[in-house]
Amino acid sequence: MPEGSDFTLENLPYGVFEPRRGGGGHGPRVGVAIGDQVLDLAAMWAGTPLGADLATGSLNRFLRRGPREWAYVRAEVRRMLETDERRLFCERNLYRLDEVALRLPIEVADYVDFYASEAHAANLGRIFRPETPEPLLPNWKHLPVGYHGRAGTVVPSGTPVRRPAGQRAAGDFGPTLRLDIEAEVGFVVGAPSALGEPVSTGAFAEHVFGVVLVNDWSARDLQRWEYQPLGPFLGKSFATSVSPWVVPLAALEAARVPVPVQEPEPLAYLAEKESWGLDLRLEVSLNGEVVSRPPYRDTYWSPAQMLAHTTVNGASLRTGDLYASGTVSGREPDQFGSLIELSWNGEWPLRLADGSERTFLQDGDTVTIRASAPGVGGGRIGFGEVSGTVVG
């Protein structure tokens, strides 16, 4: 295994891949990343019902099997990779990552985006409401604020992002002049729930399979003109990029941390006996240059609380649901997860190493988000990356 690889035995993230050549006529199928290779899980269980569920273009059929099957497959994959008598069989079903095309890992059912970072919400409050002493709106510390996004425009890493057009102000239509990024952490729902039955914070791991990286691209001028009174629409619905590898919750036990102190105390349905805060370190690069390192561990609302709030009214979960944290930002300027913060809404242009400046994205810019977390073996595991290039 290459030194410093994101994809160690402690990780074993899931994705959907297709060999670029020599695939034996097989289409996309589910695999697990290990080092610089991917193990074909459909081949490992060929001829079985599980193998049929893995020989598909998404993780959904496997995820629908639920937590017991997730745990079984993870344990078996690790045993096969570590055991001499099974290693040869594994080796026959390994592909180099540079020989495969990676697909969108799930068929997205519903997509919900939250606003869970206090530092980010406070920064935007200071930018847009500088005359108000309290930057957070009155509801912010009482519930995880969120909105429904557009599942059909969730795209895999590497998909070009076309600059969207829309209304920028009254009588002003054209391409966005304030195209932005949002560095986020996403959560993939595997096991569904019944309509009318809320999911508690304690049942989080019974429903959520794993974690992806998300860039929820934003057109800030379109968004600012349209969002009152019903919230984001065209300024957010044109593209949401996700990483190709889903890191299972089972790989993140060593990354669990308490969420920040929550005051006032959340209502009973949002209370957690054991917090699902996560110590993830994000890294945002613009054209190959690192411009920010947002810390997810400082995020105010946990993923379990976001899930409980999503379903408290009786809304059901579906396999393939994706919900994201909203922009992850820390308290320091080099920890901000969006350009609207890094440039303070264009007031302080971001200077790059080549001497160029950015307030918002230009055509041809490439944004890449990476992340890592503590691994159970004492090292760190990675999430790969989510990347996209702006095209006019």
Side-chain angles (χ1 to χ4, degrees), residues 170-321:
D172 179 16
F173 180 90
T176 179
L177 304 177
R178 295 195 162 207
L179 183 59
D180 200 356
I181 63 161
E182 293 192 0
E184 305 192 16
V185 176
F187 301 90
V188 174
V189 172
S193 67
L195 183 65
E197 296 183 8
V199 175
S200 69
T201 56
F204 169 72
E206 296 173 23
H207 292 274
V208 171
F209 173 73
V211 180
V212 293
L213 299 179
V214 173
N215 186 350
D216 197 25
W217 306 81
S218 297
R220 299 294 184 184
D221 42 4
L222 276 59
Q223 183 180 353
R224 184 166 175 77
W225 174 237
E226 73 184 359
Y227 83 101
Q228 298 186 52
L230 294 181
F233 188 42
L234 300 183
K236 299 285 292 178
S237 63
F238 58 96
T240 300
S241 300
V242 299
S243 55
W245 298 109
V246 185
V247 175
L249 291 186
L252 295 171
E253 282 296 325
R256 289 182 64 173
V257 294
V259 294
V261 174
Q262 295 181 329
E263 296 179 352
E265 184 177 339
L267 295 178
Y269 79 93
L270 292 170
E272 291 186 272
K273 290 183 179 178
E274 295 183 19
S275 178
W276 263 102
L278 291 169
D279 181 15
L280 312 184
R281 300 179 189 172
L282 279 63
E283 180 183 270
V284 180
S285 296
L286 175 56
N287 298 334
E289 180 181 342
V290 176
V291 295
S292 177
R293 291 186 170 90
Y296 182 72
R297 69 175 297 152
D298 294 342
T299 301
Y300 189 88
W301 295 107
S302 80
Q305 290 174 315
M306 289 185 269
L307 187 72
H309 187 66
T310 298
T311 62
V312 71
N313 67 345
S316 60
L317 300 174
R318 294 192 290 171
T319 298
D321 280 357

Side-chain angles (χ1 to χ4, degrees), residues 32-45:
V32 161
I34 178 71
D36 58 0
Q37 298 177 299
V38 55
L39 177 63
D40 184 351
L41 295 189
M44 303 301 286
W45 274 276

Side-chain angles (χ1 to χ4, degrees), residues 36-195:
D36 58 0
Q37 298 177 299
V38 55
L39 177 63
D40 184 351
L41 295 189
M44 303 301 286
W45 274 276
T48 70
L50 174 59
D53 284 350
L54 295 166
T56 65
S58 83
L59 282 165
N60 289 42
R61 281 171 55 178
F62 167 65
L63 296 183
R64 201 172 290 121
R65 288 172 164 262
R68 286 189 179 181
E69 200 80 349
W70 306 341
Y72 160 73
V73 171
R74 179 175 172 82
E76 281 296 295
V77 169
R78 182 156 185 166
R79 184 182 68 82
M80 287 187 287
L81 289 169
E82 291 181 314
T83 306
D84 288 341
E85 65 265 23
R86 298 290 288 171
R87 190 171 296 147
L88 183 60
F89 182 46
C90 288
E91 288 174 354
R92 289 198 294 264
N93 293 290
L94 285 168
Y95 295 84
R96 291 209 323 262
L97 285 172
D98 60 6
E99 293 179 336
V100 304
L102 299 175
R103 308 302 188 192
L104 190 67
I106 58 171
E107 183 181 347
V108 181
D110 280 310
Y111 170 56
V112 175
D113 195 35
F114 282 92
Y115 193 45
S117 165
E118 182 176 1
H120 175 67
N123 282 339
L124 292 198
R126 294 185 184 103
I127 288 171
F128 293 124
R129 298 182 300 277
E131 72 289 348
T132 305
E134 172 51 61
L136 299 177
L137 292 172
N139 65 347
W140 198 90
K141 287 198 171 182
H142 293 269
L143 54 83
V145 175
Y147 71 94
H148 278 272
R150 190 175 182 87
T153 53
V154 177
V155 297
S157 177
T159 303
V161 175
R162 186 166 297 281
R163 183 178 296 275
Q167 290 193 36
R168 299 175 297 208
D172 179 16
F173 180 90
T176 179
L177 304 177
R178 295 195 162 207
L179 183 59
D180 200 356
I181 63 161
E182 293 192 0
E184 305 192 16
V185 176
F187 301 90
V188 174
V189 172
S193 67
L195 183 65

